[in-house]
């Protein structure tokens, strides 16, 4: 069953502030529309339940990448292509570049936005693991102002987030100068590109003299929402890598996951793959500093 176009309404207001005002006054009536790559899939399938949308696309203030001394601020309307082509992001945040590169086809990368990818709250989304690994923050904006939230606090449960009905995601802030020595990204899917991940992980680590001094591992497709592997961090942080039992650590990590069976894979497969990836990751951390990108 396909959607009936006249049943839907997409409105462009004169300014972002006017859009936020409308969203505040009628929060249950309107939702925002950014790149639309996820919404149009639902629309085409006749499954787009909401019918009235406020268009964000014309507001250029949401499509800026600002480089500050301590962080890079990425506007929520920045596309995957925008992110991939930015020199500072290329140099300092290769995991985010990679996760954008494996997201859909080129047409999707040119249209899809980082804010939309976050707000859609899919457990299998490509960019959230990298944002988690780099310690990103999310700026949420309403008519009354904005607030900053650690990205770890954004996802509450499956498809439920901390985003209020009168708010939009206005930007993503990623801290700079954290001394990362190792960047590791791995997405496992049916194909290397244009597929939804069965398991994906993104790791930023600082290793010196065989010791893990800083470490974040973001995950997708193994829980109801993208998550940090906090228990794994505790097991290897400040540890000498040569003393880490990779089999024991990876098995413990796998036991804490809660993936599901679906059309793409099984829970058992996801757990097994995640376990193997972590064992491989520990080997990677023992190698010279570098960017290790696999798919």
């Amino acid at each position: 069953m396909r959607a009936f176009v006249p049943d839907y309404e997409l409105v462009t207001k004169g300014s972002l502030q006017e859009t936020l005002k409308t969203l505040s006054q009628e929060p249950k009536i309107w939702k925002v529309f950014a790149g639309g790559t996820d919404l149009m899939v639902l629309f085409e399938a006749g499954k787009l339940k909401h019918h009235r949308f406020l268009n964000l696309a014309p507001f250029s203030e949401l499509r800026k990448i600002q480089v500050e001394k301590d962080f890079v601020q990425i506007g929520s309307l920045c596309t995957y292509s925008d992110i991939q082509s930015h020199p500072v992001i290329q140099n300092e945040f290769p995991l985010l570049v990679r996760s954008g590169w494996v997201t859909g086809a080129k047409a999707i990368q040119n249209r899809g936005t980082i804010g939309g990818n976050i707000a859609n709250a899919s457990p299998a989304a490509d960019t959230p693991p990298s944002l988690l690994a780099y310690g990103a923050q999310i700026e949420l904006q309403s008519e009354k102002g904005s607030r900053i939230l650690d990205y770890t606090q954004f996802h509450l449960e499956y498809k439920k987030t901390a985003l209020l009905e009168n708010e939009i995601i206005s930007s993503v802030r990623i801290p700079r100068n954290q001394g990362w020595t190792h960047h590791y990204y791995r997405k496992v899917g049916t194909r290397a590109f244009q597929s939804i991940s069965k398991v994906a992980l993104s790791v930023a680590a600082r290793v010196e003299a065989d010791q893990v001094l800083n470490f974040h591992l973001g995950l997708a497709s193994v829980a109801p929402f993208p998550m940090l592997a906090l228990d794994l961090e505790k097991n290897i942080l400040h540890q000498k890598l040569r003393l880490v039992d990779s089999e024991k650590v990876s098995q413990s990590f796998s036991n804490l996951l809660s993936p599901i069976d679906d059309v793409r894979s099984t829970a058992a497969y996801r757990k097994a793959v995640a376990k193997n990836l972590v064992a491989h990751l520990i080997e990677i951390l023992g190698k010279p500093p570098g960017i290790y990108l696999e798919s």
Side-chain angles (χ1 to χ4, degrees), residues 255-274:
N255 292 339
L256 293 172
L257 302 180
S258 56
I260 61 171
D261 295 323
D262 62 16
V263 296
R264 293 191 303 280
S265 191
T266 65
Y269 175 82
R270 288 184 164 107
K271 280 197 170 191
V273 168

Side-chain angles (χ1 to χ4, degrees), residues 5 15 19 40 59 68 75 105 130 136 154 160 163 171 176 183 190 220-221 246 253 258 276 283-285:
V5 175
S15 67
T19 300
M40 292 309 294
F59 306 128
E68 306 291 345
S130 295
F154 183 77
K160 182 178 179 181
L163 185 69
S171 70
R176 303 178 68 191
H183 306 256
T190 305
S221 295
S246 61
F253 162 75
S258 56
N276 292 338
E283 293 180 15
I284 293 290
L285 295 179

Side-chain angles (χ1 to χ4, degrees), residues 93-136:
F93 309 109
L95 301 174
L96 189 56
V97 173
R98 182 66 173 191
S99 54
W101 190 54
V102 299
T103 300
K106 196 63 181 176
I108 295 296
Q109 295 175 25
N110 289 338
R111 176 78 185 185
T113 66
I114 190 168
N117 199 224
I118 295 168
N120 187 49
S122 168
D126 288 313
T127 59
S130 295
L131 295 174
L132 288 166
Y134 286 134

Side-chain angles (χ1 to χ4, degrees), residues 207-212 238-244 285-286:
V207 181
E208 294 181 9
D210 193 48
Q211 187 173 25
V212 181
H238 305 301
Q239 301 294 315
K240 291 288 187 179
L241 285 168
R242 66 179 180 274
L243 301 178
V244 173
L285 295 179

